[in-house]
Amino acid sequence: MDCIFCKIANHEIPSTIVYENDYVIAFNDLNPVAPVHVLVIPKKHMDSIMAVDDYNYVVEIHKAIKEIAKICKIEETGFRVISNVGEDGGQSVKHLHYHVIGGTKLPEKLA
Ligand code: DGP
C-alpha cells in the first residue's frame, strides 16, 4: 500500500518525531497552522475514524495525546484535537490521524 503515513510509521521517510511507542507515532505536521502542530497516528493502517477495527489503538492515541501535550508544554494552556474524516471533513491523507494544535490562542471554533 502506498501510504505516506505508513512510511513515516515505518521510518521509511523522515519526520520530526515527537513521541512514539509500539502502537502510535506522533510527528510534526509538514504545514503547521500553529506553533505546536503534531499529528498522531496508529502504526497500523486504518483509513479514518470510520475504519477503526481495533480500539486498543484509539486508547493508545488518547494516551499519546496527553504525553504530547506535556512534551510540547501545552498541557496548561490548552490545545485542540481534530481528526478530519472524508471529503467534507477535508481529509487529505487516508490514514487515521489526529491533529494536536496549540501554543497560541486558536482563532476559529466550528463546534
Ligand atoms: P488532513 O488534511 O487532516 O488529512 O491532514 C493531513 C496533514 O498531513 C496535513 O496537515 C499535512 C500533513 N502531511 C502530509 N504529508 C506529510 C508528510 O509527508 N510529512 C508530514 N510531517 N506531514 C505531512
Side-chain angles (χ1 to χ4, degrees):
M1 186 188 299
D2 193 28
C3 170
I4 191 100
F5 284 0
C6 283
K7 287 179 180 162
I8 288 175
N10 292 328
H11 304 113
E12 289 168 20
I13 64 168
S15 67
T16 305
I17 296 169
V18 175
Y19 178 82
E20 182 174 12
N21 64 25
D22 287 346
Y23 293 89
V24 307
I25 185 166
F27 50 93
N28 285 335
D29 194 292
L30 203 57
N31 305 122
V33 299
V36 175
H37 188 165
V38 176
L39 299 173
V40 195
I41 70 169
K43 287 190 170 178
K44 178 183 179 186
H45 184 91
M46 304 174 203
D47 281 356
S48 75
I49 283 174
M50 297 307 293
V52 171
D53 56 7
D54 183 344
Y55 281 91
N56 289 318
Y57 285 89
V58 177
V59 171
E60 290 297 329
I61 287 168
H62 225 278
K63 286 159 66 178
I65 289 168
K66 285 174 67 175
E67 291 307 314
I68 292 156
K70 290 177 197 162
I71 291 164
C72 298
K73 303 192 187 316
I74 54 172
E75 79 270 38
E76 301 287 345
T77 48
F79 55 93
R80 196 171 291 165
V81 180
I82 298 168
S83 186
N84 296 317
V85 180
E87 197 175 334
D88 280 1
Q91 183 181 7
S92 61
V93 179
K94 307 295 186 241
H95 182 127
L96 175 64
H97 57 280
Y98 294 76
H99 300 254
V100 180
I101 301 166
T104 188
K105 184 83 178 166
L106 296 171
E108 210 175 312
K109 202 158 168 257
L110 292 176

